[in-house]
Amino acid sequence: MKKYKRVFLIVIDSLGVGPMPDSEEFGDAGVNTLGHISESVEEFCIPNLQRLGLANICPLTQIPPAEQPLAYYTKLRERSRGKDTMTGHWEMMGLEVTTPFQTFTDTGFPPELIAELERRTGRKIIGNKSASGTEILDELAEEEIAEGHMIVYTSADSVLQICGNEETFGLEELYHCCEIARELTMRDEWKVGRVIARPYVGKKKGEFKRTSNRHDYALKPFGRTVLNALKDQGRDVISVGKIQDIFVGEGITKAYKSKSSVHGMEQTLEIAETSFNGLCFVNLVDFDALWGHRRDPLGYAREIEKFDEKLGLLLEKLEQDDLLILTADHGNDPTYTGTDHTREKVPFLAYSKSMSGSGELAEQDTFAVIGATVAENFDVQMPQGTIGSSLLEQLR
């Protein structure tokens, strides 16, 4: 069986490829992030993804399937009950989430939580509703700056987000308030998947811009993952983007914080020029944060095209004993109603220059085949209680 020295696992955040069998239960009938993006734009140029086989997974209006795709490809179904970032990533590394994280989309956070957060931080809270991160800045940031208040809001995800102006609120104070919020939201009745610090700059409406100093305070994984097993066996586990936050540093040996998805790919290209033995785990969040939630299919399409350009450079840099896996963590159909993630299958593309074959694999019933494949490649035992079976033997 072929073994690889380096595995590059790249998560194109929210690039779903069609509904799950249970999508209607989540209010997501008929969703298809990639397919509907293609239908919504006149031009769509992704030659590197095309030759790997992306159009073989999901029919695209402008792009025919590859007659001889370079990669092995299929769709993965999510076994966990959810459609959020943490659920998807944790399942990739072997953890099945059976109870979805709590959301406060419809009601805002309970008065008791808000009162306690105000008492502990010494700041009056404004907002406390589900909102777009950019829209709530235009609505309330001037008040926050003038009065010293604190903007708290949520979304369709299981998150509590706090905004702070970098000049008037201060980054350290923002992070401190988020740490307090994380402590409070460890209670079962208030438990959210992530508390997110959302720093911004600007002084008046129309000028506010969020910065790259975002920080996620996620729940610690409830069990050991493939990342822990790799690290314990002396393998490198390099994170790019918000992987470090999603796993709260568990199993990570080195972390790179990204300013954007393009920057994340630039970091990955630099890592590809280094010698390591293990996993480079990359999350590219702009697809989701900038375009999916804002329901902008054109912006999403252009972001995929930017990724495709960087992907072409990475394909050139890959060595014979490298394995590249491309996937997603959930959907976020920019043509669908609301601003929520969408419950979808995700793509799986696996490629190495040393492969003698390629083509379609059977559809898989869990994202955890990814972690299981990585574990078997590095002769690492899957942690107790994890799920997933390896596809390594089929990647020849």
Side-chain angles (χ1 to χ4, degrees), residues 49-71:
L49 286 165
Q50 179 187 16
R51 63 192 181 112
L52 287 177
L54 185 62
N56 299 66
I57 297 175
C58 177
L60 303 177
T61 303
Q62 307 86 344
I63 301 166
E67 292 185 7
Q68 295 183 317
L70 295 180

Side-chain angles (χ1 to χ4, degrees), residues 225-261:
T225 73
V226 172
L227 303 183
N228 297 109
L230 291 170
K231 183 179 180 180
D232 289 351
Q233 292 299 315
R235 302 294 183 175
D236 296 305
V237 183
I238 303 169
S239 81
V240 177
K242 63 180 184 179
I243 298 298
Q244 167 85 353
D245 291 337
I246 293 167
F247 290 90
V248 199
E250 287 287 307
I252 306 296
T253 61
K254 190 170 185 178
Y256 293 84
K257 188 175 182 179
S258 304
K259 298 177 182 178
S260 65
S261 290

